[in-house]
Amino acid sequence: MIETTVAIVGGGPVGLFLAAELGLRNVPVVVLSELDGTATHPKANTHTARSMELYRRHGISAELRAQGLSKHYRTDVAYYTRLLGHELHRVPLPAPDESIAETRELGTRWPTPEPQFRSSQLVLEPILLERARRYPSVDVRFRHRVQAIAERGDGVELDVELATGTRTMARADYVIGCDGGRSFVRRELGLRFEGEVGLSLDFMGGRMQTTYFRAPGLHARLRHPHAWQNWFLLPGLRALMLTLDADDDRYLLHYQLPADGSTAKSFQEVLDAVVGAPVTAEVISPAEWRAGVSLVAEQFRAGRCFLAGDAAHLFTPTGGFGLNTGIEDACNLAWKLAAVIAGWAPDVLLDTYQAERKPVAERNTAYALSLARHNGECPVDPAIEDDTPAGTAARAAARAHLEAHARWEYDTPGIQLGVSYRGSSIVVDDGSLAGPDSPVEYVPNAAPGSRLPHVWLPGGVSLYDKLGAEFTLIGLGAGGAAAWRDAAAASGVPLTILDLAESRELRALVQADWVLVRPDGHIAWRGDAAEPGAILAIVTAHIPERIPETA
């Protein structure tokens, strides 16, 4: 019998990050994964700025950057007829070391200590596994397949099959399904996906084949400057090739399979076609998947069971939002679950997980699908490769479409940093106007519900490095910390109090004497004066009838 407080089904990046978040709070966790270990086939290849900020809290963002793409290779996105043919359009993006430097410059569109980063899930998962296992309360068990789940009384029972074929039972107070798009947990709970499942496009809309391979010498043959992501637009064939390691010539090729079930071109045929010359390649691993989906579970909670990551929402990967939406799910759920387990918040706090995260999942999946549509609608005239006036015109038409579209996929600070929980029952609305929710524009603001805007403190210290593990109260002017300290002690709410009155930049953003920051980095309340006990009761879901008059 396995006994624990929280059982996480699924040992991918969302499950492992969630385990680390709970381990940070000393919550007993068992991760049950049917796989042999961490990923061996590349999947997600983009880590948003927000995910990197959350990794930073665990001290692993620098390690991820060190093991990911070479610091010196730019992360451009390029569109071609063929790799050795015509370049149609290019989105210039910085190399990892350049992006870090740019965050220190005034006027950046990305006000964060951790710019987005390109690296495979192959690199991320071992780092998360090692981090999760550092916490004594976390137990990660691979080759453990969950066969049944049943809520009984004050707990959940799981029937688990081990690699040896033997069976054992597990019992947990709570279960979280982080077991992917085909989630056993979601199906066992009877929760359905809702949304778009059958979008048909020439590319990124139907059955897809992906192949992880090594092609020695391919990088040296490039006709155009290096790109991290390489798109190919040919009559009757579109494909995407990601550079996973330029020094080792490792790549990932995506192409669409015939919708009518007819015989598909082989990987080698597609690779030779998109490069424009024969290529010697070693296949490391293939996989099949489906694009053109935008799905969100009807519920994220059923009693003592929850869904997170791909189990809760399934993306078409355009934009790179799937993994990252799951990481934010884990951050949101972990602090709430830990608070209820520790006794300083009621069970109703857990209902706010779905209330806050489902709208974000719907927003992000819909946007990713719109990007897939834009990609699929790019015109590809039969003459696009010809060195003729007709070919020139065909390439110009494709270029015009790409110039209008590409920025909306790769330069998205609004999607990444602009998530707001405004309107949540555990956010104290101050009546300020809501800013626009633009995918490509982010305006730092401190309206309750928003992510706390980042500033650099004296000595080049990140504001985020000063925040506590749970609630943090930042003072930017008047006194009164003692009342907050007493209220926190009386209610049992863990509270770190920071005096940052010297930060004029933060004061200008917050526009108040105090700002209360949640454990997930979002603002719960701001103001000049208040009754601390009443505010803490609201933001922990005790929900008093009203907020007493401010002094």
Side-chain angles (χ1 to χ4, degrees):
M1 169 71 80
I2 302 169
E3 295 192 22
T4 187
T5 301
V6 177
I8 297 173
V9 181
V14 174
L16 293 173
F17 182 75
L18 179 57
E21 282 281 295
L22 292 170
L24 177 69
R25 297 170 168 92
N26 202 34
V27 174
V29 179
V30 173
V31 178
L32 302 169
S33 173
E34 67 182 49
L35 302 178
D36 293 338
T38 56
T40 57
H41 184 83
K43 294 181 182 179
N45 291 282
T46 294
H47 308 285
T48 63
R50 186 61 185 141
S51 291
M52 294 301 293
E53 290 172 356
L54 298 177
Y55 298 154
R56 183 187 182 101
R57 295 199 318 171
H58 288 274
I60 61 174
S61 60
E63 184 178 0
L64 178 58
R65 292 185 190 280
Q67 294 188 31
L69 293 175
S70 168
K71 287 182 170 57
H72 309 298
Y73 284 107
R74 292 181 59 83
T75 56
D76 291 3
V77 175
Y79 299 81
Y80 311 94
T81 53
R82 303 178 196 266
L83 192 64
L84 303 180
H86 297 280
E87 181 176 307
L88 302 171
H89 180 60
R90 179 173 291 259
V91 181
L93 295 168
D97 53 358
E98 294 172 336
S99 62
I100 287 286
E102 286 180 1
T103 64
R104 299 286 184 143
E105 296 177 3
L106 294 175
T108 178
R109 297 179 62 250
W110 292 84
T112 172
E114 295 285 353
Q116 63 180 341
F117 182 61
R118 316 295 187 184
S119 180
S120 171
Q121 193 169 317
L122 291 175
V123 177
L124 174 66
E125 284 193 19
I127 294 173
L128 285 176
L129 174 62
E130 192 276 335
R131 186 61 194 172
R133 281 178 164 166
R134 284 190 197 177
Y135 296 109
S137 67
V138 175
D139 180 7
V140 180
R141 302 190 183 196
F142 292 107
R143 307 180 76 184
H144 281 58
R145 180 192 296 268
V146 176
Q147 300 280 39
I149 300 171
E151 185 169 335
R152 304 193 188 282
D154 60 353
V156 185
E157 292 182 354
L158 303 94
D159 183 0
V160 183
E161 181 181 27
L162 281 61
T164 58
T166 58
R167 304 285 275 267
T168 188
M169 295 299 296
R171 182 173 176 83
D173 294 338
Y174 300 95
V175 169
I176 307 166
C178 299
D179 51 339
R182 296 184 178 90
S183 172
F184 171 80
V185 175
R186 187 188 64 250
R187 289 182 281 113
E188 189 78 347
L189 297 176
L191 301 179
R192 297 173 302 164
F193 264 151
E194 299 174 331
E196 175 71 63
V197 71
L199 182 66
S200 179
L201 296 168
D202 290 338
F203 189 58
M204 289 292 178
R207 291 171 56 231
M208 300 286 296
Q209 178 71 39
T210 177
T211 304
Y212 176 33
F213 68 100
R214 181 179 289 107
L218 179 57
H219 190 260
R221 296 169 65 183
L222 293 181
R223 173 183 173 186
H224 306 286
H226 165 88
W228 157 68
Q229 203 172 87
N230 306 273
W231 293 82
F232 305 104
L233 290 84
L234 292 164
L237 176 62
R238 302 192 188 192
L240 167 64
M241 188 171 76
L242 288 90
T243 306
L244 300 184
D245 187 334
D247 294 326
D248 194 34
D249 276 305
R250 284 187 291 120
Y251 306 90
L252 189 66
L253 180 66
H254 294 274
Y255 59 96
Q256 192 146 318
L257 299 174
D260 60 6
S262 59
T263 302
K265 292 182 179 180
S266 69
F267 157 73
Q268 189 65 56
E269 288 176 311
V270 174
L271 179 62
D272 289 349
V274 298
V275 171
V279 178
T280 300
E282 169 200 349
V283 173
I284 301 173
S285 61
E288 188 176 321
W289 58 282
R290 179 167 290 278
V293 300
S294 173
L295 298 170
V296 178
E298 58 184 338
Q299 294 175 222
F300 285 19
R301 179 186 188 186
R304 290 178 169 270
C305 300
F306 301 82
L307 302 176
D310 285 355
H313 38 69
L314 197 57
F315 284 73
T316 291
T318 39
F321 307 132
L323 163 67
N324 298 286
T325 304
I327 293 296
E328 290 188 66
D329 290 345
C331 184
N332 185 289
L333 179 57
W335 78 263
K336 296 171 180 177
L337 201 54
V340 172
I341 291 167
W344 53 267
D347 180 82
V348 71
L349 177 66
L350 298 176
D351 290 335
T352 69
Y353 168 62
Q354 174 176 309
E356 292 185 345
R357 292 304 301 165
K358 187 177 180 183
V360 175
E362 291 169 340
R363 160 196 189 248
N364 291 2
T365 54
Y367 186 64
L369 191 62
S370 74
L371 293 174
R373 285 193 176 97
H374 283 302
N375 272 315
E377 292 166 355
C378 184
V380 182
D381 188 276
I384 196 166
E385 291 191 275
D386 297 348
D387 292 323
T388 64
T392 299
R395 290 189 292 276
R399 183 175 300 111
H401 177 90
L402 295 169
E403 287 174 346
H405 152 72
R407 178 195 174 203
W408 293 79
E409 182 167 355
Y410 299 103
D411 186 20
T412 56
I415 283 281
Q416 298 186 31
L417 304 178
V419 168
S420 174
Y421 300 134
R422 188 188 185 101
S424 169
S425 62
I426 56 170
V427 169
V428 184
D429 194 351
D430 63 359
S432 58
L433 295 176
D437 185 15
S438 165
V440 296
E441 299 295 341
Y442 168 71
V443 179
N445 74 93
S450 303
R451 155 190 169 271
L452 176 70
H454 179 262
V455 300
W456 293 103
L457 301 175
V461 176
S462 168
L463 169 62
Y464 293 167
D465 293 343
K466 305 291 284 186
L467 300 178
E470 303 300 347
F471 279 89
T472 302
L473 180 72
I474 301 175
L476 295 163
W484 282 94
R485 195 172 288 112
D486 292 345
S491 61
V493 176
L495 181 67
T496 298
I497 299 177
L498 295 178
D499 180 0
L500 296 179
E502 79 279 6
S503 178
R504 294 182 179 179
E505 183 182 0
L506 185 58
R507 170 70 200 211
L509 288 168
V510 171
Q511 297 182 338
D513 288 340
W514 297 99
V515 59
L516 181 64
V517 185
R518 302 183 345 172
D520 58 6
H522 284 256
I523 294 172
W525 167 86
R526 67 172 171 179
D528 294 328
E531 169 51 50
I535 297 297
L536 291 176
I538 292 173
V539 301
T540 57
H542 286 93
I543 314 177
E545 293 183 3
R546 68 182 181 89
I547 305 174
E549 296 288 336
T550 56

